[in-house]
């Protein structure tokens, strides 16, 4: 039964991490119905480390772009330049997360905050897509500058608020900065690599490694499911944004916000 629970949670993680719909909001609801057995330390580590499966999916899908181990000097320099921009984009959220981790866990990881973030960003997606016309000036990953990366990093910092969605913040921010939707989505994927890996490391250092072999197996299985699902979702999202806008995700977020309020605030 625990493996079935972990598989479902890995499935939810793999889908919602990349779509701009908030993995936190979905996992909050899932946690009400799927109760993992184990200590609070185990559960806390599981929720973060399972994200590494999603990170590995990005590396596998975009290794030809991200790999710095290329024989061609021009291509190698392009990869190093891209990683440098990704690291610049990571700075704001990295610094803020380091100091605010405990505050976020204790004060902000509650349903009213998550519901409000879901609703507000849902409205923003609809408004940006339907009412605001921004000239697209960045149509290729190589065209992203260091200032653009830093600005996008500030949008990513907003995702520290649970329910906001890391991918939602960065994709929406990229669109507001003049990124093509596909470029915004791909750069958002790349920005996730150091952030999610760093969050997993921070959580492991905080809670330790003293779990049983069975608990580590559960974590590994959840990570594997997240990896496989992420491979599919990332491909589908890139295909989707080439032909469609993000307004439907805004509607979805509003509906999910209402469900969170209904379940936790009324029922």
């Amino acid at each position: 039964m625990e493996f079935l629970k972990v598989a479902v949670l890995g499935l939810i993680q793999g889908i919602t991490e990349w779509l701009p719909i908030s993995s936190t909001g979905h996992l909050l609801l899932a946690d009400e119905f799927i109760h993992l057995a184990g200590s609070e330390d185990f559960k806390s580590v599981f929720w973060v480390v399972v994200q590494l499966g999603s990170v590995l999916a990005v590396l596998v899908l975009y290794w030809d772009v991200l790999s710095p181990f290329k024989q061609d000097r021009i291509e190698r320099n392009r990869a190093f330049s891209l990683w440098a921009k990704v690291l610049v984009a990571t700075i704001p959220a990295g610094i803020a997360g380091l100091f605010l981790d405990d505050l976020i866990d204790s004060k902000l990881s509650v349903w009213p905050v998550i519901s409000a973030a879901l609703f507000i960003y849902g409205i923003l997606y609809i408004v940006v897509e339907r009412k605001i016309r921004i000239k697209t000036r960045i149509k290729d990953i190589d065209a992203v500058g260091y200032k653009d990366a830093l600005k996008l990093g500030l949008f990513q910092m907003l995702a520290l608020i649970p329910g906001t969605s890391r991918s939602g913040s960065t994709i929406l921010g990229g669109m507001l900065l003049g990124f093509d939707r596909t470029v915004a989505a791909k750069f958002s994927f790349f920005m996730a690599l150091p952030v999610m890996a760093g969050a997993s490391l921070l959580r492991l250092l905080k809670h330790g490694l003293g779990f049983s072999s069975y608990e580590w197996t559960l974590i590994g299985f959840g990570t594997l499911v997240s990896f496989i699902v992420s491979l599919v979702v990332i491909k589908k999202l890139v295909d989707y944004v080439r032909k469609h806008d993000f307004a439907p995700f805004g509607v979805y977020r509003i509906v999910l916000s209402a469900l969170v309020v209904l379940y936790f605030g009324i029922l």
Side-chain angles (χ1 to χ4, degrees), residues 141-195:
I141 285 290
D142 292 333
V144 178
Y146 286 95
K147 288 184 179 179
D148 297 313
L150 183 60
K151 290 176 182 178
L152 207 56
L154 295 175
F155 280 98
Q156 182 168 245
M157 186 172 64
L158 297 176
L160 293 172
I161 301 172
T164 299
S165 169
R166 192 206 59 79
S167 62
S169 294
T170 50
I171 292 175
L172 182 64
M175 290 163 58
L176 291 172
L177 292 172
F179 284 49
D180 173 79
R181 287 194 191 92
T182 303
V183 175
K186 287 183 178 180
F187 201 79
S188 173
F189 300 156
F190 302 155
M191 289 171 65
L193 299 176
V195 169

Side-chain angles (χ1 to χ4, degrees), residues 92-102 104 160 202:
I95 295 175
L98 189 63
F99 290 101
L100 299 177
D101 186 56
D102 289 335
I104 293 168
L160 293 172
L202 184 63

